Amino acid sequence: MLELAGIQVEALASNVDEDALRDGLRAEGVTARNLADALAEAKAVRMSGRIGQAMVLGADQILALEDGTMLDKPSDPAEAKLHLQKLSGKKHKLFSAAVIAEQGSPVWRHVDIATLTMRSLSDSFIDEYVASEWDNIRYCVGCYEIEGRGVQLFSNIVGSQFTIMGLPMLHLLDYLRIRGLLPS
């Protein structure tokens, strides 16, 4: 997304143990919003501490059902089907967090929220959808790519498409302009 917006980036793995951090924070009762923020910060700070002067962006996204239950990325097609059955006919929220760190400390953060209402899906639709889209959705927390066939799953969406895709892009671009890194 950043490259398509004309931003030069270098993608690097932070090597944060996201599963352990996520599990620990969930055990403490952290909300979905704060979990997304904490994971984004951990990635940005860890990498920023390693590479010195560069501005480092960390991002993460958490999906929460109306009752607060959080879903993770599906481990296999069977779990993807279960997730879609849970989401079918209901609203859920996506919390997309971004944190910028410099020299090992966070200097900017934003968490954006999108609320999505999934239409009621038949089991046969879910089976066909997961079979044909698995390669595209296997790393998607909601089992959909809104920029592709996943848009067919919804009856209503409130929020930015960028947020749904995993990054509060408009807020990030504003910050880069404030810092003088993009023309205004």
Side-chain angles (χ1 to χ4, degrees):
M1 280 193 288
L2 292 168
E3 288 175 345
L4 289 173
I7 311 294
Q8 285 187 314
V9 296
E10 180 181 357
L12 301 169
S14 65
N15 296 322
V16 168
D17 185 346
E18 290 182 56
D19 292 335
L21 181 56
R22 182 182 300 113
D23 293 345
L25 290 170
R26 279 185 179 166
E28 294 174 12
V30 170
T31 64
R33 183 226 175 269
N34 291 341
L35 179 57
D37 184 54
L39 290 167
E41 180 178 318
K43 294 174 192 178
V45 167
R46 160 108 17 121
M47 185 56 68
S48 175
R50 286 189 205 152
I51 61 176
Q53 297 294 327
M55 179 182 286
V56 176
L57 172 67
D60 209 282
Q61 185 179 64
I62 300 294
L63 183 152
L65 304 176
E66 287 185 293
D67 67 1
T69 301
M70 295 176 238
L71 297 182
D72 294 320
K73 295 171 186 169
S75 58
D76 56 35
E79 188 173 31
K81 290 176 188 180
L82 291 173
H83 285 195
L84 290 170
Q85 288 169 343
K86 285 181 186 176
L87 295 168
S88 178
K90 297 184 179 101
K91 285 185 182 180
H92 65 273
K93 292 184 184 293
L94 288 174
F95 297 85
S96 291
V99 174
I100 292 178
E102 293 178 291
Q103 298 180 2
S105 296
V107 297
W108 175 87
R109 65 183 353 105
H110 186 82
V111 179
D112 209 15
I113 305 166
T115 303
L116 297 90
T117 305
M118 192 171 283
R119 66 181 181 82
S120 292
L121 307 174
S122 68
D123 288 341
S124 62
F125 178 88
I126 291 172
D127 290 343
E128 188 280 325
Y129 175 79
V130 171
S132 66
E133 296 295 315
W134 175 245
D135 287 339
N136 296 327
I137 65 170
R138 69 184 326 140
Y139 302 110
C140 300
V141 69
C143 304
Y144 54 82
E145 287 183 318
I146 199 70
E147 66 275 25
R149 190 171 169 215
V151 72
Q152 291 186 32
L153 304 176
F154 298 96
S155 60
N156 191 42
I157 295 173
V158 177
S160 165
Q161 182 166 340
F162 296 113
T163 296
I164 297 165
M165 293 168 58
L167 188 63
M169 179 70 88
L170 300 178
H171 300 279
L172 174 60
L173 295 175
D174 283 344
Y175 177 72
L176 295 176
R177 282 187 199 93
I178 289 167
R179 289 285 302 268
L181 300 170
L182 291 177
S184 55

